[in-house]
């Protein structure tokens, strides 16, 4: 994320890590030979859109749409999309169940600065 202050770039890196980890964990993108597509778009000077396109579901897997989960306090996973929701202005999913999906997030640089200040 060249050209951004370190605090903003670190939070964007966290968003990218969560979205790509989810794609690898929950889709065929995480299988041997799998891949995903990362999209980063700067929409003017203050808005950034990040999207991760996966390869769709693994054969035989339970089909579901990504959503924010409520996790137990001692759970080791299940907080990724809640984190994305907390950092981004909005996020969502493009696609249909059973097909490749794009999970995206839109962040405003002012929100990144405010979050980094906490």
């Amino acid at each position: 994320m060249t050209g951004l202050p370190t605090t903003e770039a670190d939070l964007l890196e966290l968003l990218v890590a969560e979205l790509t980890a989810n794609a690898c964990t929950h889709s065929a993108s995480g299988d041997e030979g799998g891949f995903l597509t990362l999209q980063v778009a700067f929409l003017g000077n203050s808005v950034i859109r990040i999207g991760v396109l996966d390869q769709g579901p693994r054969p035989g897997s339970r089909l579901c749409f990504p959503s924010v989960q409520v996790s137990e306090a001692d759970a080791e996973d299940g907080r990724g999309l809640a984190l994305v929701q907390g950092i981004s202005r909005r996020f969502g999913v493009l696609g249909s169940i059973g097909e490749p999906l794009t999970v995206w997030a839109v962040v405003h640089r002012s929100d990144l600065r405010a979050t980094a200040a906490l």
Side-chain angles (χ1 to χ4, degrees):
M1 307 290 173
T2 305
L4 294 176
T6 302
T7 54
E8 292 178 38
D10 288 348
L11 286 168
L12 286 175
E13 183 179 339
L14 178 60
L15 285 174
V16 168
E18 288 298 335
L19 294 175
T20 56
N22 280 350
C24 290
T25 300
H26 301 291
S27 79
S29 295
D31 293 346
E32 185 174 336
F35 63 91
L36 54 80
T37 302
L38 172 65
Q39 306 155 338
V40 179
F42 289 83
L43 309 174
N45 291 328
S46 62
V47 180
I48 303 164
R49 181 186 179 276
I50 298 169
V52 174
L53 171 64
D54 67 30
Q55 284 187 273
R58 291 182 172 97
S61 67
R62 185 178 134 255
L63 300 180
C64 62
F65 215 61
S67 63
V68 175
Q69 304 295 313
V70 176
S71 297
E72 297 294 326
D74 60 348
E76 293 184 17
D77 57 13
R79 295 179 185 85
L81 286 181
L83 180 66
V84 170
Q85 182 180 40
I87 294 173
S88 64
R89 184 70 60 105
R90 59 188 182 275
F91 83 102
V93 182
L94 298 172
S96 300
I97 292 177
E99 300 294 326
L101 299 173
T102 298
V103 181
W104 57 269
V106 173
V107 294
H108 291 237
R109 292 185 63 201
S110 60
D111 295 341
L112 295 175
R113 289 189 291 274
T115 301
L118 296 178

